[in-house]
Amino acid sequence: MARASGANAASTARHAGRGLGTLLALASVAVLILTSSAILASRGAATARVIGGAGSPTPAEIVTGVVTTQPPQSPVAEPSVPIDPPPNHGLPAPACPTAPSYPPLAKVVHHGPQTAKVVALTFDDGWNGPNVLKILSILQHAKVNATFFPTGQAIKHETAAWKVVASAGFPIANHTYDHRELTGLCWDQQLAELTRQEAVVAQELGIAVQPYMRPPYGDRDSVTQFAAALNGEQAVVVWDIDTRDWQGLSASGILVRALAGTNGSIILMHTLMPNTASALPSIIAHFKRRGFTFVTVGQMLGIDGPVPFQ
């Protein structure tokens, strides 16, 4: 009888233990559900802030790229697009140094005012000195304005050609020192790319860089706009017409894409490709027949700078 009583007691204890375990498991599930709901609510609020524009991001948020701002709409300015920080594969986010000041962000520009028949031809990167000089000769012969965005490295490698461009009075703007992708970098790293190119232009060519820049690949974030503003840039200039000459298109392929330009278009080309120089006379002739005038980026945006042909 004592043995039976002991067995019953043990059985009762086992059932009680299992009941307690079940209650603990259910409690854990409830905690997880509540925690997940809180996280989702928090993320929803953060997303609403970034996309909906409710609330003003702090300078620290701009500098670290966590939140982007939306500058006022205008015919030439692109609203900033919220860009998330790059993935860091579980590593702690790098700490960016505190910025010395917080100027208004430089505006992003795709094109100029679309009320006049003007286009801006732009040439990036700056490699292939002989092709640079061929492009320059075509522009001079046709008395056509254009804007160049060479990298600092290209200027150092092709200094003789770029001295000719500078002496011809064509505007030279900032395309960073080594064509590094800027998105996701701290403000000081992005700023260093701009100041280093600027120093090369001053030292090698003896002129000042124009107060606007073009980010490599057109990739930028709010920190790019911030770094540009710190460097005194008035605009981050991209484009609305990409000739895709960098893909190795034929001269006729480059021509077709360039002629999609319309009032206020900024047309992207590169100095490296021989086919770009081959297409350029036809690009100029077709736009002239359509009644277009060729302007520098500075003229298009109302920024003072050199204009080879008035």
Side-chain angles (χ1 to χ4, degrees):
M1 189 69 180
R3 191 178 297 119
S5 299
N8 289 336
S11 174
T12 301
R14 281 196 298 271
H15 284 295
R18 288 173 183 169
L20 180 60
T22 301
L23 289 174
L24 290 174
L26 290 173
S28 298
V29 170
V31 169
L32 286 173
I33 291 172
L34 290 173
T35 303
S36 299
S37 299
I39 291 173
L40 289 172
S42 175
R43 288 180 179 173
T47 302
R49 183 185 177 197
V50 173
I51 297 176
S56 299
T58 65
E61 288 175 321
I62 295 174
V63 172
T64 56
V66 174
V67 173
T68 58
T69 62
Q70 295 187 347
Q73 301 276 349
S74 74
V76 299
E78 174 205 48
S80 293
V81 178
I83 299 175
D84 293 328
N88 59 10
H89 306 291
L91 299 175
C96 295
T98 301
S101 62
Y102 298 99
L105 302 187
K107 64 184 177 182
V108 177
V109 175
H110 282 283
H111 55 77
Q114 297 174 311
T115 55
K117 298 190 75 170
V118 297
V119 292
L121 303 179
T122 65
F123 298 89
D124 277 16
D125 298 352
W127 298 101
N128 192 347
N131 208 48
V132 169
L133 295 178
K134 187 174 182 181
I135 290 169
L136 176 64
S137 177
I138 293 168
L139 295 172
Q140 289 178 310
H141 178 75
K143 292 182 169 46
V144 164
N145 293 313
T147 305
F148 291 91
F149 290 88
T151 65
Q153 282 190 335
I155 292 172
K156 291 182 73 172
H157 191 271
E158 307 286 357
T159 305
W162 283 105
K163 283 184 176 179
V164 176
V165 175
S167 64
F170 281 80
I172 294 175
N174 206 319
H175 196 40
T176 75
Y177 177 76
D178 62 4
H179 211 267
R180 184 180 182 186
E181 185 175 355
L182 299 178
T183 304
L185 299 180
C186 286
W187 69 268
D188 58 323
Q189 295 171 300
Q190 298 199 35
L191 179 61
E193 282 288 327
L194 299 175
T195 57
R196 194 174 180 190
Q197 191 265 12
E198 192 174 84
V200 169
V201 172
Q203 293 166 7
E204 301 294 341
L205 307 183
I207 62 172
V209 176
Q210 296 306 295
Y212 43 87
M213 61 83 71
R214 172 168 284 167
Y217 317 107
D219 293 341
R220 73 276 176 194
D221 54 20
S222 61
V223 184
T224 308
Q225 296 172 257
F226 178 74
L230 282 177
N231 199 47
E233 316 285 357
Q234 296 183 39
V236 175
V237 179
V238 282
W239 56 84
D240 63 328
I241 299 295
D242 183 355
T243 63
R244 295 192 177 274
D245 56 349
W246 50 272
Q247 289 185 325
L249 294 185
S250 64
S252 60
I254 294 169
L255 172 64
V256 168
R257 295 190 67 87
L259 294 184
T262 186
N263 293 11
S265 282
I266 298 175
I267 301 175
L268 172 68
M269 292 178 278
H270 297 77
T271 64
L272 179 63
M273 311 301 176
N275 284 343
T276 301
S278 298
L280 186 55
S282 295
I283 292 172
I284 293 170
H286 277 75
F287 273 111
K288 282 187 173 181
R289 280 198 294 270
R290 291 163 59 191
F292 279 85
T293 299
F294 295 92
V295 297
T296 67
V297 169
Q299 284 179 292
M300 182 169 279
L301 303 182
I303 298 173
D304 290 338
V307 179
F309 304 103
Q310 299 290 342

